[in-house]
């Protein structure tokens, strides 16, 4: 029986991936830059077994929904073609994230799955090739192959061969901290996949996003090069809020935030006025991720934990590359 297990960490984008130019290959409209987080990750074990009648998927020790199982199965089909194999697999995945409240990430999940499944099928891929494979499962997963600060190159080839992530700086380059405020409950109403599709198709504000995102990427690259927290934070915060602004112009419009999301943003802006360099970013949900220096981490945690509607506050350092693990 061919088996392998891998661990991949969640990443949070500083310049967001928002919009696809090819849905089947998950090719993005724009490049993106992220940080990989130490404290949040997925561990996935894949076992190919010729006696199985179909693929099996267990997430956090429970059988996954049929919809999730089919998505993984369709993904494994592509790898089976590459490996000339016909065996089905049993996939067991565990998400190590603060709560069930929505930070479980398709990015860490597909990066871990790509790495474990490729190894189990004896496909000896380079990290670049694995990044492309992870991308096919979920765009943002392309970035979780690497630790530290990572850029996913947009590429221009129609077959996606030049759309993969590259490491910019490893986790030891700059000791920034990330503080996550978990707000709101339950499953989000519009997935990032559906949300970006609706925005691209209907929001007049998407054109503004497209026209400015290259400049955001350049500012973030420069800020990283200079280890300039104010430049990095301002660029990342503006990029995130701009992404969320495109939702308001969609038809029908939608919002990922809840009341506490806005309270957290305001509180971080207050802290900044008091001299603590801290900046927000938000993905396709209500939770707020705060970027700060090590010296500001305690003040940020303290401020966030006092806000009504913030259920949990969790800090993280930058994390490592995805890697195979022994189980
Ligand atoms: C807002 O990678 O989840 O988090 O490619 O359809 O699986 P699919 O989308 P996904 O989108 C992530 C969107 C985002 C921004 C980001 O992580 O860059």
């Amino acid at each position: 029986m061919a088996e392998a297990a891998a661990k991949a960490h969640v990443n949070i984008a500083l310049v967001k991936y928002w919009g696809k130019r090819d849905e089947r290959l998950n090719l993005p409209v724009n490049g993106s830059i992220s940080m990989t987080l130490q404290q949040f990750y997925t561990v996935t074990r894949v076992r190919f077994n010729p006696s199985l009648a179909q693929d099996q998927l267990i997430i956090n020790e429970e059988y996954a929904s049929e919809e999730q199982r089919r998505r993984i199965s369709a993904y494994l089909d592509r790898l089976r073609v590459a490996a000339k194999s016909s065996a089905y697999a049993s996939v067991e995945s565990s998400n190590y994230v603060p709560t069930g409240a929505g930070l479980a990430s398709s990015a860490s999940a597909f990066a871990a799955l790509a790495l474990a499944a490729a190894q189990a099928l004896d496909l000896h891929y380079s990290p670049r090739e694995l990044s492309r494979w992870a991308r096919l499962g979920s765009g943002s997963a392309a970035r979780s192959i690497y630790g530290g600060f990572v850029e996913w190159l947009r590429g221009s080839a129609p077959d996606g061969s030049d759309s993969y992530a590259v490491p910019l700086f490893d986790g030891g380059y700059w000791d920034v901290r990330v503080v996550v405020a978990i707000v709101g409950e339950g499953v989000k109403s519009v997935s990032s996949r559906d949300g970006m599709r609706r925005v691209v198709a209907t929001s007049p504000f998407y054109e503004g996003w497209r026209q400015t995102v290259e400049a955001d990427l350049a500012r973030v690259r420069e800020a990283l090069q200079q280890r300039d927290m104010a430049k990095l934070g301002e660029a990342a915060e503006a990029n995130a809020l701009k992404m969320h602004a495109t939702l308001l112009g969609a038809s029908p419009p939608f919002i990922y935030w809840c009341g506490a999301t806005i309270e957290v943003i305001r509180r971080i802006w207050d802290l900044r006025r008091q001299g603590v360099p801290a900046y927000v970013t938000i993905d396709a949900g209500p939770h707020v991720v705060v970027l700060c220096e090590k010296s500001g981490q305690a003040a940020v945690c303290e401020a966030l934990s006092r806000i009504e509607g913030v259920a949990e506050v969790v800090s993280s350092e930058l994390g490592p590359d995805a890697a195979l693990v022994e189980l």
Side-chain angles (χ1 to χ4, degrees):
M1 201 158 60
E3 66 174 88
K7 178 177 180 183
H9 293 254
V10 168
N11 74 74
I12 297 288
L14 296 161
V15 175
K16 308 293 184 190
Y17 150 49
W18 196 238
K20 303 184 197 213
R21 62 180 205 274
D22 182 315
E23 299 226 345
R24 197 180 66 83
L25 295 174
N26 278 341
L27 297 179
V29 167
N30 58 274
S32 53
I33 297 180
S34 61
M35 322 173 269
T36 299
L37 305 186
Q38 169 72 37
Q39 267 73 7
F40 312 144
Y41 54 91
T42 300
V43 176
T44 298
R45 187 218 305 246
V46 180
R47 279 180 284 189
F48 285 92
N49 179 350
S51 64
L52 287 174
Q54 63 170 16
D55 292 313
Q56 291 180 348
L57 175 62
I58 295 172
I59 301 178
N60 295 338
E61 296 180 357
E62 283 182 25
Y63 281 102
S65 67
E66 182 57 15
E67 190 190 337
Q68 286 173 311
R69 196 195 66 77
R70 278 176 199 267
R71 181 171 172 193
I72 298 301
S73 197
Y75 180 73
L76 290 176
D77 282 344
R78 291 163 129 164
L79 275 165
R80 277 186 281 257
V81 169
K84 299 187 175 57
S85 161
S86 57
Y88 289 114
S90 141
V91 177
E92 279 172 59
S93 193
S94 297
N95 293 314
Y96 296 85
V97 290
T99 61
L103 261 193
S105 161
S106 60
S108 54
F110 274 101
L113 178 64
L115 184 50
Q119 174 73 16
L121 287 168
D122 247 346
L123 295 164
H124 297 286
Y125 288 142
S126 66
R128 178 169 295 182
E129 288 168 310
L130 284 168
S131 174
R132 272 194 298 253
W133 272 104
R135 187 203 77 219
L136 291 173
S138 183
S140 54
R143 300 183 309 237
S144 274
I145 294 296
Y146 296 105
F149 295 98
V150 181
E151 177 160 1
W152 171 16
L153 307 174
R154 172 196 192 277
S156 55
D159 67 354
S161 53
D162 57 357
S163 187
Y164 48 78
V166 293
L168 294 178
F169 300 101
D170 68 23
Y173 169 75
W174 188 9
D175 190 11
V176 300
R177 298 300 161 96
V178 162
V179 182
V180 183
I182 306 288
V183 305
E185 288 290 319
V187 181
K188 65 189 172 198
S189 51
V190 183
S191 70
S192 41
R193 183 160 290 192
D194 294 345
M196 67 176 90
R197 183 184 293 133
R198 192 189 300 174
V199 163
V200 172
T202 67
S203 177
F205 304 156
Y206 191 66
E207 189 50 26
W209 167 270
R210 263 178 16 89
Q211 283 178 13
T212 54
V213 69
E214 273 307 319
D216 293 353
L217 285 165
R219 270 172 74 202
V220 165
R221 277 186 219 115
E222 191 177 282
L224 289 173
Q225 203 90 49
Q226 298 166 346
R227 294 193 185 89
D228 183 332
M229 176 54 79
K231 193 185 264 185
L232 180 67
E234 279 167 22
E237 187 174 278
N239 181 267
L241 297 187
K242 189 161 58 188
M243 179 201 109
H244 284 270
T246 66
L247 282 46
L248 300 181
S251 177
F254 60 112
I255 301 174
Y256 285 125
W257 300 355
C258 62
T261 309
I262 294 175
E263 282 313 307
V264 172
I265 296 172
R266 289 218 168 103
R267 193 69 198 92
I268 293 302
W269 288 356
D270 283 346
L271 266 186
R272 215 144 81 208
R273 278 191 286 271
Q274 291 159 22
V276 180
Y279 303 85
V280 303
T281 183
I282 307 167
D283 278 346
H287 314 300
V288 185
V289 177
V290 179
L291 175 66
C292 61
E293 286 164 341
K294 187 178 170 189
S295 57
Q297 184 183 349
V300 170
C301 289
E302 153 83 12
L304 297 187
S305 57
R306 284 161 186 256
I307 298 173
E308 204 181 316
V310 171
E312 206 175 337
V313 176
V314 195
S315 304
S316 181
E317 295 154 31
L318 296 189
D321 294 352
L324 293 167
V325 290
E326 298 285 334
L327 280 185

mmCIF file of all heavy atoms in Angstrom, residues 36 38 146-149 168-177 224 227 317-321:
data_model
loop_
_atom_site.group_PDB
_atom_site.id
_atom_site.type_symbol
_atom_site.label_atom_id
_atom_site.label_comp_id
_atom_site.label_asym_id
_atom_site.label_seq_id
_atom_site.Cartn_x
_atom_site.Cartn_y
_atom_site.Cartn_z
ATOM 1 N N THR A 36 3.286 32.809 5.573
ATOM 2 C CA THR A 36 2.899 31.483 6.055
ATOM 3 C C THR A 36 2.967 31.500 7.580
ATOM 4 O O THR A 36 3.918 32.025 8.161
ATOM 5 C CB THR A 36 3.865 30.442 5.461
ATOM 6 O OG1 THR A 36 3.740 30.498 4.049
ATOM 7 C CG2 THR A 36 3.547 29.040 5.948
ATOM 8 N N GLN A 38 3.032 29.920 11.432
ATOM 9 C CA GLN A 38 3.537 28.788 12.211
ATOM 10 C C GLN A 38 2.419 28.026 12.934
ATOM 11 O O GLN A 38 2.363 26.799 12.910
ATOM 12 C CB GLN A 38 4.542 29.331 13.246
ATOM 13 C CG GLN A 38 4.979 28.346 14.313
ATOM 14 C CD GLN A 38 5.904 27.288 13.760
ATOM 15 O OE1 GLN A 38 6.736 27.558 12.906
ATOM 16 N NE2 GLN A 38 5.763 26.070 14.234
ATOM 17 N N TYR A 146 5.505 26.958 0.570
ATOM 18 C CA TYR A 146 6.682 27.617 1.151
ATOM 19 C C TYR A 146 6.382 28.310 2.468
ATOM 20 O O TYR A 146 5.265 28.777 2.698
ATOM 21 C CB TYR A 146 7.227 28.663 0.176
ATOM 22 C CG TYR A 146 7.730 28.080 -1.119
ATOM 23 C CD1 TYR A 146 6.998 28.213 -2.286
ATOM 24 C CD2 TYR A 146 8.939 27.390 -1.162
ATOM 25 C CE1 TYR A 146 7.458 27.681 -3.483
ATOM 26 C CE2 TYR A 146 9.407 26.846 -2.357
ATOM 27 C CZ TYR A 146 8.659 26.992 -3.504
ATOM 28 O OH TYR A 146 9.121 26.454 -4.678
ATOM 29 N N GLY A 147 7.416 28.426 3.295
ATOM 30 C CA GLY A 147 7.305 29.175 4.538
ATOM 31 C C GLY A 147 7.686 30.636 4.321
ATOM 32 O O GLY A 147 8.070 31.038 3.226
ATOM 33 N N GLY A 148 7.574 31.429 5.392
ATOM 34 C CA GLY A 148 7.995 32.834 5.350
ATOM 35 C C GLY A 148 7.101 33.680 4.464
ATOM 36 O O GLY A 148 5.886 33.528 4.456
ATOM 37 N N PHE A 149 7.736 34.577 3.701
ATOM 38 C CA PHE A 149 7.011 35.448 2.765
ATOM 39 C C PHE A 149 7.095 34.835 1.370
ATOM 40 O O PHE A 149 8.187 34.444 0.921
ATOM 41 C CB PHE A 149 7.628 36.847 2.750
ATOM 42 C CG PHE A 149 7.500 37.574 4.061
ATOM 43 C CD1 PHE A 149 8.554 37.605 4.965
ATOM 44 C CD2 PHE A 149 6.316 38.217 4.407
ATOM 45 C CE1 PHE A 149 8.452 38.271 6.178
ATOM 46 C CE2 PHE A 149 6.194 38.887 5.621
ATOM 47 C CZ PHE A 149 7.263 38.911 6.509
ATOM 48 N N LEU A 168 10.003 34.324 -1.173
ATOM 49 C CA LEU A 168 10.673 35.630 -1.204
ATOM 50 C C LEU A 168 11.711 35.696 -0.087
ATOM 51 O O LEU A 168 12.888 35.954 -0.324
ATOM 52 C CB LEU A 168 9.653 36.758 -1.038
ATOM 53 C CG LEU A 168 8.637 36.948 -2.176
ATOM 54 C CD1 LEU A 168 7.665 38.076 -1.819
ATOM 55 C CD2 LEU A 168 9.340 37.265 -3.488
ATOM 56 N N PHE A 169 11.256 35.468 1.153
ATOM 57 C CA PHE A 169 12.152 35.489 2.317
ATOM 58 C C PHE A 169 11.673 34.414 3.272
ATOM 59 O O PHE A 169 10.463 34.249 3.459
ATOM 60 C CB PHE A 169 12.081 36.846 3.031
ATOM 61 C CG PHE A 169 12.468 38.004 2.171
ATOM 62 C CD1 PHE A 169 11.494 38.817 1.605
ATOM 63 C CD2 PHE A 169 13.805 38.283 1.908
ATOM 64 C CE1 PHE A 169 11.845 39.889 0.802
ATOM 65 C CE2 PHE A 169 14.166 39.358 1.095
ATOM 66 C CZ PHE A 169 13.180 40.166 0.541
ATOM 67 N N ASP A 170 12.587 33.705 3.922
ATOM 68 C CA ASP A 170 12.131 32.669 4.845
ATOM 69 C C ASP A 170 11.717 33.293 6.186
ATOM 70 O O ASP A 170 11.877 34.500 6.409
ATOM 71 C CB ASP A 170 13.152 31.545 4.993
ATOM 72 C CG ASP A 170 14.408 32.006 5.701
ATOM 73 O OD1 ASP A 170 14.358 33.001 6.453
ATOM 74 O OD2 ASP A 170 15.460 31.361 5.506
ATOM 75 N N GLY A 171 11.171 32.453 7.047
ATOM 76 C CA GLY A 171 10.591 32.938 8.304
ATOM 77 C C GLY A 171 11.583 33.654 9.210
ATOM 78 O O GLY A 171 11.193 34.480 10.031
ATOM 79 N N GLY A 172 12.869 33.340 9.076
ATOM 80 C CA GLY A 172 13.867 33.952 9.942
ATOM 81 C C GLY A 172 14.278 35.354 9.502
ATOM 82 O O GLY A 172 14.971 36.062 10.229
ATOM 83 N N TYR A 173 13.818 35.771 8.334
ATOM 84 C CA TYR A 173 14.272 37.047 7.754
ATOM 85 C C TYR A 173 13.806 38.246 8.561
ATOM 86 O O TYR A 173 14.522 39.233 8.710
ATOM 87 C CB TYR A 173 13.739 37.106 6.315
ATOM 88 C CG TYR A 173 13.880 38.441 5.626
ATOM 89 C CD1 TYR A 173 15.116 38.867 5.166
ATOM 90 C CD2 TYR A 173 12.760 39.258 5.422
ATOM 91 C CE1 TYR A 173 15.241 40.088 4.511
ATOM 92 C CE2 TYR A 173 12.880 40.477 4.772
ATOM 93 C CZ TYR A 173 14.115 40.884 4.320
ATOM 94 O OH TYR A 173 14.238 42.085 3.678
ATOM 95 N N TRP A 174 12.584 38.134 9.101
ATOM 96 C CA TRP A 174 11.990 39.294 9.777
ATOM 97 C C TRP A 174 10.970 38.746 10.777
ATOM 98 O O TRP A 174 10.034 38.065 10.388
ATOM 99 C CB TRP A 174 11.311 40.189 8.728
ATOM 100 C CG TRP A 174 10.815 41.506 9.233
ATOM 101 C CD1 TRP A 174 11.030 42.090 10.441
ATOM 102 C CD2 TRP A 174 9.987 42.415 8.495
ATOM 103 N NE1 TRP A 174 10.407 43.295 10.503
ATOM 104 C CE2 TRP A 174 9.767 43.531 9.321
ATOM 105 C CE3 TRP A 174 9.420 42.405 7.209
ATOM 106 C CZ2 TRP A 174 8.986 44.620 8.916
ATOM 107 C CZ3 TRP A 174 8.654 43.476 6.810
ATOM 108 C CH2 TRP A 174 8.448 44.578 7.661
ATOM 109 N N ASP A 175 11.167 39.056 12.049
ATOM 110 C CA ASP A 175 10.333 38.456 13.097
ATOM 111 C C ASP A 175 9.039 39.251 13.289
ATOM 112 O O ASP A 175 8.825 39.862 14.328
ATOM 113 C CB ASP A 175 11.135 38.385 14.399
ATOM 114 C CG ASP A 175 10.425 37.561 15.458
ATOM 115 O OD1 ASP A 175 9.430 36.877 15.112
ATOM 116 O OD2 ASP A 175 10.859 37.600 16.618
ATOM 117 N N VAL A 176 8.183 39.250 12.267
ATOM 118 C CA VAL A 176 6.887 39.917 12.429
ATOM 119 C C VAL A 176 5.928 38.961 13.136
ATOM 120 O O VAL A 176 6.161 37.754 13.181
ATOM 121 C CB VAL A 176 6.280 40.350 11.076
ATOM 122 C CG1 VAL A 176 7.189 41.326 10.358
ATOM 123 C CG2 VAL A 176 5.963 39.159 10.202
ATOM 124 N N ARG A 177 4.872 39.503 13.690
ATOM 125 C CA ARG A 177 3.866 38.680 14.366
ATOM 126 C C ARG A 177 2.500 38.918 13.754
ATOM 127 O O ARG A 177 2.210 39.998 13.228
ATOM 128 C CB ARG A 177 3.820 39.025 15.856
ATOM 129 C CG ARG A 177 5.117 38.748 16.586
ATOM 130 C CD ARG A 177 5.486 37.273 16.492
ATOM 131 N NE ARG A 177 6.895 37.055 16.768
ATOM 132 C CZ ARG A 177 7.376 36.702 17.942
ATOM 133 N NH1 ARG A 177 6.561 36.533 18.976
ATOM 134 N NH2 ARG A 177 8.675 36.525 18.090
ATOM 135 N N LEU A 224 9.053 44.672 2.057
ATOM 136 C CA LEU A 224 9.695 43.465 2.587
ATOM 137 C C LEU A 224 11.217 43.593 2.457
ATOM 138 O O LEU A 224 11.955 43.298 3.403
ATOM 139 C CB LEU A 224 9.204 42.222 1.847
ATOM 140 C CG LEU A 224 7.757 41.811 2.136
ATOM 141 C CD1 LEU A 224 7.327 40.670 1.201
ATOM 142 C CD2 LEU A 224 7.583 41.371 3.590
ATOM 143 N N ARG A 227 12.354 45.796 5.123
ATOM 144 C CA ARG A 227 11.803 45.453 6.448
ATOM 145 C C ARG A 227 11.121 46.687 7.064
ATOM 146 O O ARG A 227 11.365 47.045 8.218
ATOM 147 C CB ARG A 227 12.883 44.946 7.399
ATOM 148 C CG ARG A 227 13.509 43.615 7.001
ATOM 149 C CD ARG A 227 14.316 43.098 8.186
ATOM 150 N NE ARG A 227 15.058 41.903 7.917
ATOM 151 C CZ ARG A 227 16.304 41.862 7.443
ATOM 152 N NH1 ARG A 227 16.940 42.973 7.135
ATOM 153 N NH2 ARG A 227 16.909 40.702 7.269
ATOM 154 N N GLU A 317 3.779 33.224 14.799
ATOM 155 C CA GLU A 317 4.995 33.675 14.123
ATOM 156 C C GLU A 317 4.923 33.178 12.679
ATOM 157 O O GLU A 317 3.978 32.488 12.314
ATOM 158 C CB GLU A 317 6.215 33.059 14.818
ATOM 159 C CG GLU A 317 6.376 33.559 16.228
ATOM 160 C CD GLU A 317 7.118 32.566 17.103
ATOM 161 O OE1 GLU A 317 7.987 31.832 16.582
ATOM 162 O OE2 GLU A 317 6.823 32.532 18.299
ATOM 163 N N LEU A 318 5.945 33.480 11.914
ATOM 164 C CA LEU A 318 5.975 32.967 10.548
ATOM 165 C C LEU A 318 6.379 31.493 10.555
ATOM 166 O O LEU A 318 7.203 31.063 11.361
ATOM 167 C CB LEU A 318 6.950 33.771 9.683
ATOM 168 C CG LEU A 318 6.573 35.233 9.486
ATOM 169 C CD1 LEU A 318 7.489 35.874 8.447
ATOM 170 C CD2 LEU A 318 5.119 35.396 9.058
ATOM 171 N N GLY A 319 5.784 30.745 9.654
ATOM 172 C CA GLY A 319 5.979 29.298 9.650
ATOM 173 C C GLY A 319 6.885 28.816 8.529
ATOM 174 O O GLY A 319 7.350 29.607 7.701
ATOM 175 N N PRO A 320 7.127 27.488 8.508
ATOM 176 C CA PRO A 320 8.073 26.875 7.567
ATOM 177 C C PRO A 320 7.417 26.363 6.281
ATOM 178 O O PRO A 320 6.199 26.431 6.114
ATOM 179 C CB PRO A 320 8.591 25.689 8.374
ATOM 180 C CG PRO A 320 7.390 25.254 9.165
ATOM 181 C CD PRO A 320 6.619 26.510 9.479
ATOM 182 N N ASP A 321 8.239 25.795 5.415
ATOM 183 C CA ASP A 321 7.769 25.125 4.198
ATOM 184 C C ASP A 321 6.871 23.939 4.557
ATOM 185 O O ASP A 321 7.001 23.361 5.643
ATOM 186 C CB ASP A 321 8.968 24.516 3.438
ATOM 187 C CG ASP A 321 9.926 25.551 2.882
ATOM 188 O OD1 ASP A 321 9.632 26.762 2.937
ATOM 189 O OD2 ASP A 321 10.989 25.124 2.369
#
